[in-house]
Amino acid sequence: MSDQSVVPIDQILPNKLPLVALMGRPIFPGIFTPIMIGNPADVKVIDDAVAGDALVGLVMLLNETETPAIGDLYKVGTVAKIIKKINLPDGGVNIFISTLKRFRVKKTLHSANPIVAAVEYLEEEEDETSEVKALTRALISEMKQISENNPLFSEEMRLNMINIDHPGKIADFIASILNIDRAEQQKILEILNVRKRMEQVLVFIKKEQELLRIQKKIQKEINEKIEKSQRDYFLKEELKAIKGELGMTTDAKSSDYQRFREKMESFKFKGEIKDIVEQELEKFNLMEPNSAEFIVTRNYLDMIASLPWNDPEPEVFDLKNAQTILEAEHYGLKDVKSRITEYLAVRKLRKDTKGSIICLVGPPGVGKTSVGKSIARAMGKQFFRFSVGGMRDEAEIKGHRRTYIGAMPGKIIQGLKIVKAKDPVFMIDEIDKMGASFQGDPASALLEVLDSEQNSAFRDHYLDLPFDISHVFFIVTANTLDTIPPPLLDRMEIIQLPGYIDAEKLEIARRYLVPKSLEKNGLKKNQVKYTKDSLLHIAGAYAREAGVRNFEKNLDKIHRKLAKQIVESEESSPASPKPETAAPQAAAESAVEAAQTPEAKPAASSAKDEAMQTSPVSQAAAEPMPAPPASSAKRPAVQFIIDKKLIEKHLGKPIFPEGDIKKADRPGMSVGLAWTSMGGDTLVIEATSLPGKEGLTLTGKMGDTMKESAAIAMTVARKLAVERYHVAQDWFDLNHIHLHIPEGATPKDGPSAGITMATALLSLMREKVITDKLVMTGELSLTGQVLPIGGLKEKTIAARRNKARHIIMPKQNGRDLDDIPDYVKKGIEFHPVERFEEVLALALPD
């Protein structure tokens, strides 16, 4: 036998290799591992290799693809020898390989299916230095720390790592088992210098250790929470057992359940309500406090328990005392007070607590909201107010379904929970300003609320139980009825609140506004005195609107300036005695001396009117006035006598000068009466003619109805001008008529200015001025009939503010005169008419 030398396998490796693309991570040299091959093309490569030298090249894919080519592979890979091949049922193979050495692709021999390349084998760059030895020890030591607490590292892996005798192979083995990115592993595979490779692997070991440290910290925190939760649970169970032995309530849930149970039993529910409440109670009792449904069910039961389910107690109230309260807190408003006292009398006779629904309609500032509070006090009831102005979501009225997060009941149920009474007074403000949107129509939602035949079983979406709200006394307020839906309007009793004339404003200021404003601004008794003329001057020159809100603002403005003078005077002379701070009652008692009401003495004047002090009318009006403190008698009080000159000093020039009275003093002019949401108003109609083409121009921002009314007025006026007053036909052919209503920025509409426009046109055609201090209102038909109008009371008040002495009105509105107080009608002559010819006889007499 000849001598044969042993040749290592890596020295007889072929120069060309079939390549298998790895879709996962790269495989390092010196590793024995199984690989699953499923791609048919790669299976064929494996079969061919097994039939030959059993060597294949393993190269990782740059980008994973189903049919890779040579361009989709990295350039550096590992040559492997197939030790064993096992065919799988799905057509794939499972091979066991032993990786031998790194190689680099030099040249492509076959680019795809199968990939074959010419390769060169890469030798490691080794340094036999102490630094490499130190790195080897460091790698093994660090990996021991990682593997000790990691169950993924088996004992066999630890032994293999220790038994590897080559530094480069140690680095390769560690890199293959670390959980690092595939691209980073490929970089390590491509590093040939052993020392640099070990340093890079050491960096990844440190990162792995930091991740393990964070992981342990998180695990520790979680364990601590779990331990605390378990400890709390055991302590609570012990506490529950101790409380049970002592006969105490065991936990909050049991306490709530017991409270709910007792409360529900006190209500004595029946039928549907009883069944649903029992179901909710049982569900609450079985729920875990930590469940999401627990809070929802608890809040629902709490809402049911907080509502006044039991019928209200029989009412005990004094009708005379109720009348006294209404009279004391509001001046005028005869219709409202009469309706309330009638309603209370009926309740007392029937011994019935069923509610009522009234709608107070009037301009801003006439006291609609404050009337509601007075009604509640007069009845001895709880009061709840909410505004629906601008409301667009019906859920505000009827609540949200409980399935929604943050669901709440509607305003009706919320109010009942707050007042804790089943028969309160509810005020719904600004009902004419509701809107509709995709969220629903709140006006439609109010139909059930404000219907006495339906609201005995009102269903709120949140509560979803029939609740009787028929005992609630609903008061609704609005500025106008035009925007309220007719079905809703039909459910309410309408009570009109007209605006105030100057004499009424004077009394309201004396009794209420001045005392309230003095108290608000820190002024005390006897410091301010108003003359009658000064208060009337404020009403006529600064606050001519229908209500008294601007009147109060002007009083506040005056009193603030007076308060400033007092403080400046005190600070400039500190030695002088300071005025005492007025007590609320004393401030309420300061004001101008009480005079006779306009009903008894509408235009009275006396010597006292020049400088008189007001006193309020209150619930304690019958009680004697309290004596002033002894100290105040010794100290001279600061006195301010407010006359017209001082008012103009504090408030500036009048907004409405004395001569600012709307009048018709030229041909082509007439004065009409209009009704707006702000109350009654006077309306000047102006007409003029210009040479030119025949026609009629209308300006003044008229609505469609008013434009039609103007066209009718033109036809009637032209016919009468030709037939009765003998105006030449040529005049119409040669003149263009322009009809205008001043304050052009204000929208105007309605038919009630018909006779006013026709009168202005005839005044122009006849070149004659209409009767002085005459105003008119009435719809005009094409045949000359004067048709009825609305809002006569408000229009009469506007005429009085305009110093009118004659009012032309439709005869059919004669019944409305009875609703106008005598003191408003005093000094005004009413002229009911049926035909337009009667209007001309009064306005343009021959």
Side-chain angles (χ1 to χ4, degrees):
M1 175 182 282
S2 60
D3 294 336
Q4 294 181 352
S5 59
V6 178
V7 180
I9 191 170
D10 57 358
Q11 293 182 11
I12 59 172
L13 293 174
N15 293 327
K16 66 175 182 177
L17 286 173
L19 303 183
V20 175
L22 299 177
M23 301 190 69
R25 298 168 176 247
I27 298 178
F28 290 84
I31 294 174
F32 183 81
T33 183
I35 299 179
M36 191 81 70
I37 305 294
N39 193 332
D42 291 339
V43 171
K44 189 175 184 308
V45 171
I46 297 300
D47 291 340
D48 293 344
V50 170
D53 56 9
L55 293 174
V56 291
L58 305 177
V59 187
M60 191 173 72
L61 279 168
L62 280 164
N63 298 303
E64 294 185 0
T65 177
E66 292 294 331
T67 56
I70 190 70
D72 298 321
L73 304 177
Y74 282 96
K75 295 299 183 183
V76 177
T78 305
V79 62
K81 186 172 182 64
I82 300 172
I83 306 301
K84 188 176 181 180
K85 185 189 83 165
I86 300 174
N87 294 323
L88 300 176
D90 59 355
V93 295
N94 192 4
I95 59 173
F96 291 86
I97 60 168
S98 174
T99 54
L100 304 173
K101 199 168 187 178
R102 289 174 171 82
F103 68 83
R104 179 182 287 112
V105 175
K106 286 177 60 179
K107 183 179 179 182
T108 304
L109 299 179
H110 197 279
S111 62
N113 294 332
I115 303 172
V116 181
V119 300
E120 63 173 340
Y121 297 97
L122 305 175
E123 301 294 335
E124 293 184 339
E125 300 172 5
E126 299 186 8
D127 290 329
E128 292 293 337
T129 63
S130 57
E131 187 175 353
V132 172
K133 292 179 180 178
L135 282 170
T136 303
R137 291 182 180 180
L139 287 174
I140 294 172
S141 175
E142 296 294 339
M143 281 303 295
K144 281 183 178 179
Q145 292 183 16
I146 293 176
S147 63
E148 281 176 358
N149 298 319
N150 193 335
L152 297 177
F153 288 90
S154 63
E155 189 63 31
E156 184 179 353
M157 292 171 66
R158 296 190 188 96
L159 291 173
N160 287 339
M161 182 175 60
I162 295 171
N163 293 330
I164 296 173
D165 58 353
H166 192 277
K169 290 182 179 180
I170 292 175
D172 288 342
F173 178 75
I174 293 173
S176 67
I177 63 176
L178 282 178
N179 186 21
I180 58 178
D181 187 70
R182 62 196 295 268
E184 298 291 344
Q185 285 185 328
Q186 179 67 29
K187 287 180 182 178
I188 295 173
L189 180 67
E190 294 175 2
I191 297 174
L192 299 180
N193 187 283
V194 173
R195 182 177 60 81
K196 289 182 179 178
R197 191 191 307 163
M198 297 175 77
E199 289 175 349
Q200 187 63 41
V201 171
L202 189 59
V203 169
F204 287 119
I205 290 175
K206 291 295 183 183
K207 289 182 179 179
E208 184 71 17
Q209 287 179 340
E210 181 64 19
L211 286 173
L212 287 173
R213 185 188 66 80
I214 296 171
Q215 182 181 351
K216 286 180 181 178
K217 179 184 176 185
I218 295 172
Q219 189 67 35
K220 182 181 177 183
E221 291 175 354
I222 293 172
N223 289 337
E224 287 177 353
K225 288 181 180 178
I226 292 173
E227 290 173 1
K228 185 179 183 301
S229 176
Q230 290 176 339
R231 179 174 175 274
D232 291 347
Y233 173 76
F234 287 126
L235 288 175
K236 286 178 181 177
E237 289 298 317
E238 289 180 5
L239 183 62
K240 190 187 295 185
I242 293 170
K243 286 185 174 181
E245 290 293 329
L246 296 174
M248 299 169 61
T249 304
T250 54
D251 57 7
K253 175 186 169 184
S254 300
S255 175
D256 286 340
Y257 175 79
Q258 191 64 29
R259 177 170 62 89
F260 291 148
R261 171 64 68 183
E262 292 174 0
K263 193 74 175 175
M264 303 308 178
E265 288 176 356
S266 69
F267 291 141
K268 299 178 181 178
F269 290 135
K270 296 180 181 179
E272 176 191 356
I273 302 177
K274 182 178 181 180
D275 294 341
I276 292 177
V277 169
E278 287 291 337
Q279 290 174 13
E280 293 294 329
L281 278 171
E282 290 306 314
K283 184 167 70 172
F284 177 75
N285 192 32
L286 295 172
M287 277 183 180
E288 286 296 326
N290 296 327
S291 67
E293 284 284 322
F294 180 81
I295 296 299
V296 175
T297 304
R298 185 189 181 282
N299 290 342
Y300 178 66
L301 289 171
D302 189 57
M303 174 59 66
I304 295 176
S306 302
L307 292 175
W309 292 91
N310 292 331
D311 290 336
E313 297 292 329
E315 293 178 336
V316 178
F317 58 86
D318 186 348
L319 190 62
K320 189 174 182 180
N321 182 54
Q323 288 176 315
T324 303
I325 292 173
L326 291 172
E327 290 292 341
E329 296 188 355
H330 288 86
Y331 179 79
L333 306 180
K334 184 178 178 182
D335 289 345
V336 180
K337 294 174 183 176
S338 175
R339 172 67 185 89
I340 298 306
T341 51
E342 290 168 3
Y343 167 73
L344 294 178
V346 171
R347 287 175 74 112
K348 193 162 187 177
L349 280 177
R350 292 189 58 190
K351 297 180 180 174
D352 187 6
T353 58
K354 291 291 183 180
S356 183
I357 302 159
I358 62 174
C359 179
L360 305 178
V361 183
V366 296
K368 298 185 297 297
T369 304
S370 61
V371 163
K373 297 179 181 178
S374 296
I375 291 172
R377 279 194 290 272
M379 298 173 63
K381 303 292 184 184
Q382 295 289 333
F383 178 78
F384 181 76
R385 173 196 166 274
F386 67 94
S387 175
V388 294
M391 186 181 289
R392 293 178 175 271
D393 186 359
E394 70 169 21
E396 293 288 332
I397 302 295
K398 299 197 72 174
H400 306 83
R401 303 284 180 191
R402 276 189 293 151
T403 51
Y404 298 116
I405 295 174
M408 294 175 61
K411 291 291 185 186
I412 306 300
I413 297 298
Q414 287 183 40
L416 290 167
K417 179 183 176 183
I418 291 170
V419 299
K420 294 180 171 44
K422 202 171 185 178
D423 56 346
V425 175
F426 267 29
M427 171 161 278
I428 305 176
D429 258 339
E430 313 295 351
I431 198 171
D432 57 323
K433 299 176 181 63
M434 282 190 296
S437 69
F438 66 93
Q439 296 167 308
D441 182 5
S444 299
L446 276 176
L447 291 175
E448 182 184 0
V449 174
L450 300 180
D451 191 336
S452 56
E453 299 298 325
Q454 298 181 37
N455 59 15
S456 58
F458 172 70
R459 279 186 181 269
D460 182 272
H461 288 156
Y462 179 85
L463 199 64
D464 200 22
L465 294 173
F467 192 94
D468 185 4
I469 60 172
S470 62
H471 299 277
V472 179
F473 184 10
F474 288 101
I475 302 174
V476 178
T477 71
N479 295 131
T480 177
L481 300 177
D482 298 341
T483 55
I484 302 176
L488 188 58
L489 202 61
D490 184 57
R491 287 162 164 77
M492 302 180 289
E493 182 178 344
I494 310 300
I495 298 179
Q496 297 281 350
L497 276 74
Y500 299 115
I501 62 174
D502 290 350
E504 290 178 310
K505 290 183 180 179
L506 171 66
E507 286 302 314
I508 292 169
R510 285 172 168 172
R511 300 185 184 198
Y512 311 107
L513 301 184
V514 174
K516 178 182 175 183
S517 181
L518 285 172
E519 180 182 359
K520 185 196 302 183
N521 293 283
L523 298 173
K524 66 176 186 176
K525 184 179 179 180
N526 298 328
Q527 282 186 306
V528 182
K529 293 181 180 179
Y530 284 89
T531 65
K532 176 182 177 182
D533 288 343
S534 64
L535 291 174
L536 288 173
H537 186 52
I538 295 174
Y542 298 92
R544 201 178 281 181
E545 79 285 351
V548 292
R549 194 167 286 147
N550 282 335
F551 199 121
E552 185 176 1
K553 289 178 182 177
N554 284 297
L555 289 174
D556 287 341
K557 188 175 181 181
I558 294 170
H559 294 157
R560 285 196 300 269
K561 292 182 182 296
L562 298 182
K564 180 183 176 185
Q565 290 183 30
I566 293 172
V567 173
E568 287 176 346
S569 175
E570 290 176 354
E571 291 179 351
S572 62
S573 56
S576 62
K578 298 182 181 179
E580 296 176 2
T581 304
Q585 185 176 357
E589 288 167 356
S590 68
V592 193
E593 178 185 346
Q596 290 176 318
T597 60
E599 292 92 330
K601 189 180 178 184
S605 61
S606 65
K608 294 182 181 179
D609 286 337
E610 293 304 317
M612 53 187 171
Q613 178 190 353
T614 58
S615 62
V617 179
S618 63
Q619 296 183 33
E623 298 178 6
M625 297 284 285
S631 58
S632 64
K634 298 178 182 178
R635 298 179 183 178
V638 180
Q639 297 290 331
F640 293 97
I641 299 176
I642 309 298
D643 55 14
K644 291 174 66 173
K645 184 177 178 181
L646 266 180
I647 285 173
E648 293 192 6
K649 175 185 175 184
H650 293 313
L651 299 182
K653 294 294 181 184
I655 300 173
F656 307 100
E658 288 185 7
D660 186 21
I661 300 296
K662 295 177 182 177
K663 55 186 178 180
D665 53 3
R666 295 185 181 184
M669 296 181 68
S670 63
V671 183
L673 297 173
W675 183 91
T676 69
S677 62
M678 303 294 287
D681 198 4
T682 49
L683 205 66
V684 176
I685 307 291
E686 299 176 343
T688 188
S689 62
L690 294 170
K693 186 178 179 182
E694 177 187 358
L696 176 66
T697 298
L698 302 175
T699 55
K701 209 168 184 179
M702 300 184 192
D704 292 338
T705 304
M706 184 170 266
K707 288 178 181 178
E708 293 175 356
S709 185
I712 293 171
M714 180 64 188
T715 301
V716 173
R718 181 170 179 170
K719 182 180 180 184
L720 286 173
V722 174
E723 295 178 357
R724 181 171 177 175
Y725 299 109
H726 310 293
V727 177
Q729 181 67 40
D730 293 346
W731 188 89
F732 297 99
D733 298 334
L734 301 174
N735 287 278
H736 185 88
I737 297 176
H738 186 165
L739 185 71
H740 176 67
I741 305 178
E743 299 181 11
T746 305
K748 310 167 191 74
D749 204 4
S752 64
I755 64 172
T756 313
M757 290 188 285
T759 302
L761 290 169
L762 274 168
S763 171
L764 171 70
M765 296 168 188
R766 296 182 60 190
E767 297 183 355
K768 187 173 181 179
V769 180
I770 70 169
T771 304
D772 187 31
K773 295 185 178 180
L774 173 73
V775 295
M776 61 189 75
T777 180
E779 181 181 352
L780 180 64
S781 76
L782 200 58
T783 58
Q785 285 185 310
V786 180
L787 304 178
I789 46 82
L792 183 62
K793 187 175 182 179
E794 290 81 359
K795 292 177 179 180
T796 303
I797 292 172
R800 189 174 187 87
R801 285 200 297 265
N802 202 56
K803 312 296 184 186
R805 289 290 175 264
H806 302 274
I807 295 178
I808 298 177
M809 50 167 277
K811 191 172 184 179
Q812 294 182 48
N813 286 109
R815 62 183 183 276
D816 297 329
L817 289 175
D818 295 336
D819 297 332
I820 304 174
D822 292 337
Y823 66 88
V824 175
K825 294 186 289 187
K826 189 173 181 67
I828 297 177
E829 186 177 355
F830 291 85
H831 302 278
V833 297
E834 288 184 299
R835 300 281 307 169
F836 183 59
E837 290 81 0
E838 300 175 57
V839 177
L840 295 177
L842 295 165
L844 294 168
D846 295 332

